[in-house]
Amino acid sequence: MLVHPHSLTETPEMPPLDQPAPSPDLMSELLLGMRLRGIQYRRIQARPPFGLGFGARPGYAHFHFLATGTATLRTADGTLHDLRSGTAAFLPHAEAHQLLSAADAPVEDIANFSTAPLCDTVCAVDACTCPEAAPDTILFSGCMEFELGGMQSLVRLMPALMLVDALDSRHPGLMPILAAMEHEACAARVGFAGILARLADVVAAVIVRGWVESGCGTATGLVAALREPRLARAILALHRQPGRDWTVAELARESGTSRSVFAERFQATTGVPPLRYATELRMRLASQWLTEDRLPIEAVAGRLGYSSQAAFSRAFKRITGVPPGASRAGVAVGGV
């Protein structure tokens, strides 16, 4: 999660960025639209040798917390990561991966193990191959809904794996939370499953916040624009008023530069013209409001400033490839 600053090409009217991270206002705006909620958690106990396979879940995120013992996490590209007790792993793209006692351990899909319900969203999994032996590895794993609202495109820029532990000095606020998770997972007191689920949601949100605070990874596309103070001001204005009928000249005034310089710099940095970005932002929000919040199409159109439902529907289909009704029905939306 360490971020290396990247410089931007200097121009006379828009000086290069001095700081690698987004402004505090823009950072707050990014996190304001975040939705991160566990929909299925497992408390897993195991004893070596073990190999647990987790399938890909497009559109979601995976989370793991190692309460006791050690494990190796193998990502989809085959990279191995050694985990120690107290480590939390967040996989924002929910790619297929494995948790192993050793790199050569045989792997069984986690869905093949029998489960026992602990609460509405948490079940227990006993992955010990030897019933007589006490488990020395306890994991708390989950699948999460993960949305960043209008900034959903940032999710694609996140690394495949983010790791933190109680010794990580970059996240001092996580130490007591991870310690509490370790205690709850091991003690298994009354109500521990629900407490663990809520703590896991908090830890994952803190990991995402740390990534945003550290500058959102490599400075390409939208990330570079977020780091450029003048471009960031225009983007912040767009996100605060997505339903406004913006012009390039108005956005240039928000950034404090000329129309021509703003338009050229915006497209060079983000890869799209300003008004195309504004339309795609509206459609990302529309997709969320239609599918997650279940708002009527007419209400979404009005909220986003369209004079008629028909005009909104044409714009939505042009950007996403499907009409709003299909998006509500769960058809995959592309282009945003």
Side-chain angles (χ1 to χ4, degrees), residues 247-307:
T247 66
V248 176
E250 289 170 336
L251 291 171
R253 282 196 293 272
E254 292 286 340
S255 72
T257 189
S258 71
R259 181 187 184 283
S260 59
V261 168
F262 168 76
E264 179 181 354
R265 190 59 177 274
F266 192 99
Q267 180 158 353
T269 306
T270 66
V272 295
L275 298 187
R276 171 74 182 195
Y277 178 91
T279 303
E280 291 183 353
L281 167 63
R282 293 187 191 107
M283 297 310 117
R284 284 196 296 270
L285 293 172
S287 295
Q288 177 180 308
W289 295 341
L290 289 168
T291 59
E292 300 295 331
D293 299 330
R294 311 300 296 176
L295 292 182
I297 295 174
E298 184 178 0
V300 173
R303 182 181 289 191
L304 291 175
Y306 286 90
S307 58

Side-chain angles (χ1 to χ4, degrees), residues 41-45 113-118 122-126 192:
Y41 279 115
R42 297 179 176 96
R43 180 189 183 270
I44 305 168
Q45 54 185 32
F113 290 91
S114 59
T115 63
L118 297 174
V122 186
C123 64
V125 175
D126 188 346
F192 80 97

Side-chain angles (χ1 to χ4, degrees), residues 77-114:
D77 63 1
T79 304
L80 299 176
H81 303 267
D82 291 329
L83 309 184
R84 60 188 175 190
S85 177
T87 299
F90 183 64
L91 295 89
H93 313 297
E95 296 175 337
H97 60 285
Q98 301 163 343
L99 289 170
L100 315 160
S101 58
D104 59 351
V107 177
E108 180 77 14
D109 192 295
I110 191 65
N112 294 339
F113 290 91
S114 59

Side-chain angles (χ1 to χ4, degrees), residues 148-162:
L148 277 182
M151 285 293 185
Q152 188 64 19
S153 57
L154 277 182
V155 176
R156 293 195 293 270
L157 302 176
M158 291 182 174
L161 173 65
M162 301 176 181

Side-chain angles (χ1 to χ4, degrees), residues 16 20 34 48 54 59 67 91 114 127 135 148 152 190 216 239 242 246 314 323-324 330:
M34 181 169 66
F54 296 82
L91 295 89
S114 59
L148 277 182
Q152 188 64 19
V190 173
C216 303
H239 281 258
W246 289 97
R314 286 194 298 270

